[in-house]
Amino acid sequence: MCVATFTSVSQGIYSNCVFSARSCNTGEIVGQETVSLTSAVIGSDTGKTYLLDGTNIKISCCGVVTKWTFGLMNTGDVTAQVWKPLGGDMYEVVGETSGTGTANSLLQMTPSQIAVNENYAIGWYSSSQEVVGYINDAGANLGTKSKAGRTNLNQQLSWAATATNTERWLVQVQLGPGTAPTFGASLPHTANVASTDPVGTKVHTVTPTDVNTGDTLTVTFNPPSTKFQLVGNEVRLLTTLTPGTHTAVIQVADSCGLTATGTLTVTVADSAPNITSLPVGTVTLKEDVTVRTELHILTYTDTDTPLKDVKCSFNSTDPSPAPFAIEMKANSSVQAVNFVPNATKLDFDTTPLYKLFIQCSDGTSTSTIKELHVSIEANAPPVPNIPSPLTVPASTTVTNTNVGAVTATDADSTNLQFTMSNCSCPLVMTPDGKVYATASFNDHRTPFYKVNVTVSDGYNTVGPTEMTIQVTELNTRPVVIMPATALPGRDEVSVDEHTDEGTPNAKGTTVTVFTPKGQDAEGDTLTWEANFNNGKGILLYELNPTTGVITTKQDLDYETLTPDAIAETIVQIRAYDGREYSDWKELKIKVNDINETPKFANSLYSIETKESAGTLQCPYFDVIDEDFHDTQTYSLDCGTVGTIKVKANSNQCGSILEQLAEIDLDSPGAATKTISCTVTVRDKHGLTNTTTLVITVHEEDDNSPDFNPEDYTFTIFETQAPAVVFGSTGVTDLDFLAKHKRITYTNSPEGEFGVNAAGGIYSKINWTSQTLPTSRTFTVTATDAAGHSDQADVTVYIKPVPTTTSTTTTTTTLAPVFQNIASFLDDPGNLGWLIPAILVGLAALGLSIFMCIRCCNTPGALANMCKGGNICPRRGRGRITRRVPRAKEPVVKRTLVREKPEPPKQVVEKEVPKQPKEPKKDSSMFDCFKSKPKQKPAAPTESWDFWNSGGF
């Protein structure tokens, strides 16, 4: 390695250069002396780069790598790398060689010469799995470091990682001495410079090369130079040079101290340029030239300066200033004398000749002055060619239409200027003589114009000359004669709206509203145009542009159009003859209101009601009547059911229908009844429409419970147990549905007696401590779910228990009392009457069922047969019947005759049946079978109380 101290960086002079590293010997080995796979192992990493910078494997000489050997345990690629230390842990890849080998083999690679120096390190990279093997060796000291990924050539990397020194890698690097660098074709070399070239001018570029890859080259002057300097590999002037020859010896050295030299020869010469193309004869230039024009090409020589560096210029001109310049021709180094137009035109009369004095310089010397004469040639006047006349067709001429042109001939100029004056017409002439329209001539009325034309070539002006302009194909505007009224007035027409009835205009049909008329002086065919001023008129009407007829575009509905203010539409109409429009005429179109039939929104409506009379539920008929301010009346036809009517003069939904009488569902008995009615609506003009109304009548709880009889009398003994029923009451309810027959019983006062849910009467207290005999009277009330109720009076006689046997004083005695049901059935006499009684009872039950069925099928027949009344009497709605207690009739007491004394038994003493009461106002189907009660026959002495026996 060269360690140098510079006394002048710009000169690159070494005052001391000592190459400390020895040169590598041919075949010198770094790494394994012999690469053997014996005892070798392999890692499992993938895509890693390895660096070996341990003391046992660092390079200690200066030279090149001549061969790589790797022991491979796996098949794969290996990129061998040489790393240059940069200080600390930083290294740079300065050379690499790549190859691929197979498992359990040696991979040997001969690289192009990679330069190495003292302390350089070696390493490698495998793109896939580990391929290079190693042997575990505690004293290997190879300083192994690894990192993931690859570092490319000339890239740097910090290897601040802990080294492993127990792995002896199967790597061998053979070294050898390096090769000296050369300058190639860049030296020796001869260069030419001018004596006027300044310091820093580049004289030459050297290109040192070294076959040793990655070697560092140093270029210096040897011996040092006082005339030249090195800037990189460029040789530049250190001072200006005098004419003559100058030399410099340049040396290149590599990092191992191997050198080469070359000589640079610099020649300095100088001479003045010489103009060889002048003098020449006079150059001619026309005075009407207005563009840059080349007049003369300068030629010259210069023996010591490149011609491209020679610059020519005017020393002076006569007169001055002059419109000329010396300029480089495009894409060349040739210089020419050019006419350069400026604000001052060439004028033969003023300046017929220009003298130009020219000299050239190479930067050091100036040539002899040469002279060039430019003669100005006078211009001839133009000759105009004016059309007579210039024709303008009015039908096709619009703004910017070219209607013609004035031309002129000029022997020596094409730059002619035309003007047109004295023109009170919509025409203009451009400087090139073309005539353009400044407006449309479509509605023009003037047939002729006279104008003046002047032409100039910039030096000579000819004119003014008169030119005639004739306008042809003039037109007359069309006239609209229907509508007849001119603005601001207007005509008026009307059209009937479309109706569902089709009178007069059926929906879906197109109606002609108006047909305009017009005339045209030239007999042109007219087309028509319309504007609807309310914005929506275009949606209602359309105009046929060919005939002008206005027709309806959609159905007209007066009631829809009026709120939007388009029942009246203003339309403007005009005619067009192909060139011009007529004046606008205005027309008002009014839509007439036609009476229309009211309509029900639905074909079927339904409501629900109950049996009782009154106002029915609103059916919400949703009648649609298109007409404004129309009124509707309703009528109702329910067939044979005449109790439902439309209330007179009613238009309120909540009271439009009224049920005049009850629709009774309790007889013959039904939960609902359906009535179909036809509803008719009529507007004030007599138009009608119908719909169907279905009324569903529901059975309601409208009957009161009815006690029969209305008074009850019971007798109990003092031993009557509390809460034990000793008598019963009962009611009938004529409502059909079971839920309407649910009865609740109460009694008042209720302190001593009570009534259960079935109407049974029971005592609430113990009577043994009371003063007897005594009696109590109270009222029993039966109430249904709707709150309807009826009342009955109940009288209870309480007596002490008799202690002796006695004979009843009545004509009726109790039936025999049996101890139990078995003793009752053991009596042959009982069986003799019980069986016939059961048969008779069954026959009576069957007859009752038959009569009920017959009654339901023929309402009122049986009752009418019996008493002429309704067989299904109805109580008043919500009636509470309070009966006035009547005088009690004498009670006939009954006593028991027993064979032997027994403990007293409680016997219910009932009253003798009362005389029949006056018939009720309502009658029953059972009235036919009623008769006065008869006294029961005397009972045997021994009797069994069937109802109070404990045998059950």
Side-chain angles (χ1 to χ4, degrees):
M1 181 178 290
C2 181
V3 181
T5 300
F6 292 91
T7 59
S8 173
V9 175
S10 64
Q11 296 182 30
I13 299 174
Y14 284 92
S15 60
N16 181 28
C17 187
V18 179
F19 296 94
S20 59
R22 64 178 178 82
S23 178
C24 296
N25 299 318
T26 300
E28 185 172 339
I29 292 176
V30 173
Q32 300 298 305
E33 288 292 332
T34 301
V35 179
S36 173
L37 300 178
T38 303
S39 302
V41 295
I42 186 71
S44 60
D45 292 331
T46 300
K48 283 189 124 181
T49 297
Y50 285 87
L51 177 74
L52 306 181
D53 65 349
T55 56
N56 288 350
I57 199 167
K58 275 188 177 181
I59 297 173
S60 60
C61 61
C62 188
V64 295
V65 175
T66 60
K67 185 178 181 181
W68 297 89
T69 302
F70 290 91
L72 304 186
M73 301 296 291
N74 287 326
T75 298
D77 60 282
V78 177
T79 299
Q81 295 180 321
V82 174
W83 292 78
K84 175 183 177 180
L86 301 178
D89 295 310
M90 292 298 298
Y91 284 81
E92 178 184 352
V93 178
V94 295
E96 62 181 21
T97 303
S98 298
T100 302
T102 59
N104 301 316
S105 66
L106 299 182
L107 172 62
Q108 295 184 335
M109 297 179 290
T110 303
S112 58
Q113 296 184 9
I114 301 175
V116 295
N117 212 323
E118 187 177 16
N119 292 323
Y120 276 30
I122 64 171
W124 68 92
Y125 164 80
S126 294
S127 62
S128 58
Q129 62 184 349
E130 295 280 359
V131 295
V132 180
Y134 65 90
I135 297 172
N136 291 313
D137 183 355
N141 292 326
L142 300 187
T144 304
K145 298 179 181 179
S146 63
K147 286 194 175 184
R150 171 176 178 165
T151 303
N152 295 323
L153 187 64
N154 299 322
Q155 287 186 337
Q156 297 177 3
L157 184 66
S158 173
W159 285 92
T162 302
T164 300
N165 290 303
T166 61
E167 298 168 345
R168 182 159 47 85
W169 291 90
L170 304 184
V171 178
Q172 182 189 86
V173 182
Q174 290 188 15
L175 307 176
T179 303
T182 67
F183 284 107
S186 64
L187 287 178
H189 178 75
T190 299
N192 296 315
V193 297
S195 58
T196 57
D197 287 344
V199 173
T201 299
K202 184 178 76 171
V203 177
H204 183 57
T205 300
V206 295
T207 55
T209 60
D210 194 331
V211 297
N212 300 331
T213 304
D215 210 348
T216 302
L217 302 180
T218 303
V219 179
T220 59
F221 289 105
N222 189 15
S225 174
T226 59
K227 300 177 181 179
F228 305 100
Q229 61 179 334
L230 282 167
V231 179
N233 289 336
E234 291 183 355
V235 178
R236 297 187 180 185
L237 292 179
L238 187 60
T239 183
T240 57
L241 300 179
T242 59
T245 300
H246 305 268
T247 60
V249 177
I250 303 173
Q251 175 181 285
V252 58
D254 66 9
S255 56
C256 293
L258 302 177
T259 63
T261 58
T263 301
L264 173 64
T265 302
V266 179
T267 301
V268 180
D270 187 33
S271 64
N274 178 34
I275 301 174
T276 59
S277 61
L278 293 176
V280 294
T282 301
V283 177
T284 300
L285 179 65
K286 290 188 175 183
E287 67 176 342
D288 62 349
V289 175
T290 58
V291 297
R292 188 182 299 270
T293 304
E294 183 181 286
L295 302 178
H296 178 73
I297 294 176
L298 293 172
T299 59
Y300 43 83
T301 61
D302 193 315
T303 58
D304 61 355
T305 303
L307 296 182
K308 64 182 181 62
D309 296 330
V310 175
K311 305 297 181 183
C312 299
S313 61
F314 292 128
N315 178 268
S316 63
T317 63
D318 183 19
S320 179
F324 303 97
I326 298 175
E327 299 172 325
M328 298 292 294
K329 295 190 69 173
N331 302 319
S332 73
S333 59
V334 176
Q335 300 180 71
V337 179
N338 295 333
F339 163 66
V340 180
N342 56 24
T344 303
K345 295 192 302 180
L346 297 176
D347 189 345
F348 172 81
D349 297 329
T350 303
T351 308
L353 179 69
Y354 287 90
K355 296 180 180 180
L356 309 177
F357 302 95
I358 302 171
Q359 64 183 14
C360 296
S361 173
D362 61 6
T364 301
S365 303
T366 302
S367 69
T368 302
I369 295 174
K370 300 291 181 77
E371 189 174 347
L372 176 65
H373 290 180
V374 180
S375 176
I376 306 303
E377 184 177 338
N379 194 358
V383 179
N385 178 20
I386 299 176
S388 182
L390 179 66
T391 302
V392 179
S395 63
T396 58
T397 300
V398 296
T399 303
N400 294 327
T401 299
N402 177 213
V403 297
V406 175
T407 61
T409 57
D410 192 306
D412 51 12
S413 178
T414 58
N415 186 21
L416 303 180
Q417 300 289 319
F418 295 86
T419 57
M420 182 174 67
S421 60
N422 194 32
C423 179
S424 57
C425 56
L427 297 167
V428 67
M429 179 178 285
T430 58
D432 60 357
K434 294 180 180 179
V435 180
Y436 290 90
T438 59
S440 173
F441 275 71
N442 186 59
D443 57 353
H444 210 73
R445 306 287 185 253
T446 304
F448 293 99
Y449 294 98
K450 298 287 186 179
V451 299
N452 295 325
V453 176
T454 301
V455 58
S456 173
D457 62 2
Y459 299 92
N460 304 286
T461 300
V462 178
T465 304
E466 186 178 78
M467 180 176 68
T468 299
I469 298 176
Q470 181 180 1
V471 182
T472 62
E473 302 177 8
L474 297 177
N475 185 56
T476 303
R477 294 178 66 194
V479 177
V480 175
I481 58 177
M482 186 61 67
T485 307
L487 292 175
R490 65 171 69 99
D491 289 1
E492 183 175 313
V493 296
S494 63
V495 57
D496 294 330
E497 68 171 328
H498 292 77
T499 64
D500 289 332
E501 293 80 7
T503 303
N505 297 325
K507 288 189 176 181
T509 60
T510 300
V511 179
T512 298
V513 179
F514 180 75
T515 302
K517 295 181 181 179
Q519 62 184 15
D520 187 81
E522 288 79 28
D524 296 329
T525 300
L526 299 181
T527 57
W528 298 86
E529 193 175 284
N531 287 328
F532 296 90
N533 70 340
N534 60 9
K536 292 187 178 180
I538 191 65
L539 303 177
L540 304 178
Y541 309 100
E542 61 183 350
L543 177 137
N544 186 318
T546 302
T547 64
V549 174
I550 297 176
T551 56
T552 58
K553 193 174 183 180
Q554 65 179 31
D555 290 344
L556 302 179
D557 184 358
Y558 178 84
E559 288 73 24
T560 302
L561 301 178
T562 299
D564 292 338
I566 54 177
E568 293 185 358
T569 299
I570 306 299
V571 57
Q572 295 179 326
I573 305 173
R574 67 177 179 179
Y576 182 62
D577 64 0
R579 290 180 57 184
E580 295 184 76
Y581 288 96
S582 68
D583 290 331
W584 288 102
K585 292 291 186 70
E586 252 184 21
L587 181 71
K588 178 192 285 187
I589 303 174
K590 296 179 61 178
V591 179
N592 296 329
D593 185 18
I594 304 299
N595 187 42
E596 299 176 70
T597 303
K599 304 178 189 66
F600 287 98
N602 298 291
S603 60
L604 178 66
Y605 295 83
S606 64
I607 61 174
E608 297 185 359
T609 187
K610 296 181 180 180
E611 300 171 89
S612 55
T615 300
L616 273 63
Q617 173 189 353
C618 173
Y620 294 102
F621 286 129
D622 300 332
V623 173
I624 301 170
D625 194 327
E626 300 287 349
D627 300 313
F628 286 146
H629 313 300
D630 209 344
T631 58
Q632 297 81 35
T633 58
Y634 298 87
S635 60
L636 188 70
D637 182 4
C638 296
T640 60
V641 181
T643 60
I644 300 177
K645 301 292 184 182
V646 177
K647 295 184 69 173
N649 301 322
S650 175
N651 59 3
Q652 297 298 318
C653 186
S655 60
I656 190 169
L657 298 180
E658 184 176 28
Q659 181 178 332
L660 302 179
E662 180 183 25
I663 301 174
D664 192 4
L665 299 186
D666 297 319
S667 176
T672 61
K673 179 177 181 178
T674 300
I675 303 172
S676 180
C677 304
T678 298
V679 182
T680 301
V681 62
R682 183 185 305 273
D683 68 8
K684 65 182 179 182
H685 297 289
L687 296 180
T688 63
N689 207 331
T690 62
T691 188
T692 299
L693 172 64
V694 174
I695 303 173
T696 301
V697 182
H698 293 272
E699 194 266 349
E700 65 177 329
D701 189 351
D702 58 348
N703 288 299
S704 299
D706 183 21
F707 280 102
N708 188 13
E710 298 176 350
D711 299 292
Y712 295 87
T713 300
F714 302 99
T715 300
I716 62 173
F717 289 111
E718 61 182 334
T719 57
Q720 175 67 41
V724 176
V725 174
F726 58 80
S728 64
T729 63
V731 296
T732 58
D733 192 322
L734 299 181
D735 289 316
F736 174 74
L737 293 177
K739 64 181 180 180
H740 296 159
K741 295 174 177 288
R742 295 170 185 158
I743 305 301
T744 301
Y745 292 91
T746 60
N747 65 296
S748 176
E750 58 181 11
E752 296 176 328
F753 294 94
V755 57
N756 64 13
I761 306 300
Y762 60 90
S763 173
K764 291 185 177 181
I765 66 173
N766 191 327
W767 293 95
T768 57
S769 60
Q770 305 294 322
T771 302
L772 301 178
T774 186
S775 66
R776 299 289 189 267
T777 298
F778 55 89
T779 301
V780 175
T781 302
T783 307
D784 64 12
H788 306 142
S789 64
D790 194 11
Q791 293 180 336
D793 292 329
V794 177
T795 300
V796 181
Y797 291 91
I798 307 98
K799 295 183 178 183
V801 176
T803 59
T804 60
T805 303
S806 63
T807 302
T808 61
T809 60
T810 63
T811 59
T812 302
T813 59
L814 292 175
V817 176
F818 299 93
Q819 298 302 317
N820 50 48
I821 188 64
S823 62
F824 174 79
L825 296 177
D826 288 341
D827 188 344
N830 289 338
L831 295 177
W833 64 264
L834 179 61
I835 293 173
I838 292 175
L839 295 176
V840 171
L842 292 175
L845 177 61
L847 178 60
S848 299
I849 294 174
F850 169 77
M851 293 178 67
C852 289
I853 295 174
R854 185 71 178 271
C855 174
C856 293
N857 291 334
T858 309
L862 183 59
N864 290 331
M865 179 183 69
C866 296
K867 289 191 175 183
N870 194 328
I871 69 169
C872 297
R874 179 180 304 279
R875 305 295 297 229
R877 298 181 184 275
R879 176 175 64 87
I880 299 178
T881 304
R882 175 70 178 178
R883 290 174 171 75
V884 178
R886 290 177 291 178
K888 305 298 180 178
E889 297 181 1
V891 177
V892 179
K893 297 183 180 180
R894 293 170 291 179
T895 59
L896 301 176
V897 178
R898 304 181 186 277
E899 296 179 350
K900 57 181 178 179
E902 293 180 0
K905 297 184 65 176
Q906 179 177 332
V907 177
V908 178
E909 294 186 2
K910 297 186 178 179
E911 298 178 3
V912 176
K914 302 176 183 178
Q915 294 297 322
K917 296 182 289 186
E918 291 296 326
K920 296 182 181 179
K921 185 178 181 180
D922 295 332
S923 62
S924 169
M925 63 178 287
F926 299 102
D927 291 344
C928 297
F929 306 100
K930 290 183 179 180
S931 61
K932 294 183 179 181
K934 297 181 180 180
Q935 293 182 346
K936 295 181 182 180
T941 303
E942 182 178 344
S943 63
W944 172 50
D945 188 346
F946 180 83
W947 303 108
N948 293 317
S949 171
F952 289 101

